[in-house]
Amino acid sequence: MSDAVAGAPDRAAARAPFGARLGAAMRERGPLCVGIDPHPALLAAWGLADDVDGLRRFSLAVVDAVADLAAALKPQVALYERHGAAGLAVLEEVLTASAEAGVLSIADAKRGDIGSTMAAYADAWLGEGSPLAADAVTLSPYLGFESLRPALDAAAATGRGVFVLALTSNPEGASVQHVGGDRSVAKAVCEAAAAENSRYAGEALGSVGLVVGATVGDAVERLGLDLAAVRGPLLAPGLGAQGATGTALRAAFGDAYPQVLGTSSRDILAGGPGREGLRERAEKTLADLV
């Protein structure tokens, strides 16, 4: 277990809570998160091989191009894992480069388990001193929200954050998340996150966020979700390539829109490999959000 979680969080003690840091970044730069998704097709479109060298060149080019335009960068962990240990080493480089560039990182790992296994995931992605530690990590609550306790506590101890899957826009998600009518699974996750953010009562934005798809349409209203009451950031993937716009986000999220961190991956990444092309697309997406 890392030093911070074990009780010697020297660096963590000096780190402001993730929600406070993200809120400051969103106010300063705007509410844009750029996904770093090195799909084989995108690597090919950039003229790069689908190997570790191509992975590194692609990923670090994105960090270099947009780090100063985004509140956060979100590498998709699976697309590094598919290259094995060498791919995870590149992910470590990406997280380090993001920190050096002064932009927050969200590891899109969607981890979720129980007991000692969940504690190991928490230590890997949130533990002080871990080479894979990001500023925040995405989590799956479908073994029960409380199964995430090791990660929730590790995030609080190290000044990091989590984003818990709540309402995703993929068609299959409704078969789980919408179940229960006015007591839906999604609503239970939202209420649990709101309760967890009570530990951040002194902050305008808690460090327990939710993943709510940018293309969920009227599902927030239909399911009676009070996203503003969560008091945490709302990671909203789906801008651009999946069809969502800033206007659609405002309609879907209502009074919770100030908490929304709009996320675009493929639409911005398609502007590469040139730096200016990436920046132009990021700036256009950001302008649609503010």
Side-chain angles (χ1 to χ4, degrees):
M1 183 175 287
S2 67
D3 287 345
V5 179
D10 293 340
R11 283 173 291 178
R15 184 183 295 120
F18 172 75
R21 293 186 290 132
L22 178 61
M26 291 170 67
R27 289 190 296 274
E28 178 183 344
R29 301 180 182 182
L32 174 64
C33 173
V34 177
I36 306 179
D37 292 14
H39 291 282
L42 274 171
L43 293 174
W46 281 33
L48 298 172
D50 184 16
D51 59 16
V52 171
D53 181 62
L55 183 72
R56 178 181 292 107
R57 292 172 62 187
F58 179 96
S59 302
L60 296 181
V62 177
V63 176
D64 174 69
V66 304
D68 64 326
L69 298 174
L73 300 179
K74 181 177 70 65
Q76 171 48 255
V77 170
L79 295 172
Y80 294 85
E81 289 178 332
R82 64 186 289 271
H83 292 275
L88 288 176
V90 173
L91 177 58
E92 293 176 15
E93 290 184 51
V94 172
L95 296 172
T96 298
S98 299
E100 291 175 348
V103 62
L104 297 172
S105 59
I106 302 169
D108 196 356
K110 298 183 178 70
R111 295 299 193 252
D113 216 305
I114 60 173
S116 60
T117 307
M118 191 65 234
Y121 281 140
D123 205 36
W125 298 103
L126 300 166
E128 203 65 50
S130 169
L132 286 171
D135 289 293
V137 64
T138 58
L139 301 175
S140 173
Y142 298 113
L143 291 173
F145 190 91
E146 192 58 26
S147 70
L148 304 178
R149 178 55 50 196
L152 298 169
D153 290 346
T158 62
R160 294 185 165 92
V162 302
F163 287 92
V164 182
L165 296 173
L167 189 64
T168 59
S169 52
N170 61 303
E172 304 87 351
S175 67
V176 174
Q177 299 156 14
H178 293 203
V179 171
D182 62 359
R183 291 301 307 163
S184 67
V185 173
K187 189 171 187 177
V189 171
C190 291
E191 291 176 350
E196 191 64 27
N197 274 327
S198 65
R199 76 196 300 172
Y200 303 101
E203 304 293 338
L205 198 64
S207 295
V208 179
L210 297 176
V211 179
V212 180
T215 56
V216 296
D218 67 349
V220 173
E221 182 178 1
R222 283 191 292 105
L223 296 173
L225 307 186
D226 188 352
L227 295 177
V230 173
R231 285 190 51 257
L234 304 171
L235 185 66
L239 284 172
Q242 294 182 42
T245 64
T247 299
L249 284 177
R250 292 181 186 89
F253 287 87
D255 59 358
Y257 185 73
Q259 298 159 232
V260 171
L261 183 61
T263 304
S264 177
S265 301
R266 285 175 290 168
D267 193 60
I268 291 175
L269 301 176
R275 188 174 190 272
E276 290 309 310
L278 289 166
R279 290 183 65 82
E280 181 179 345
R281 288 192 175 225
E283 288 169 345
K284 180 179 179 181
T285 304
L286 181 57
D288 187 42
L289 290 171
V290 298

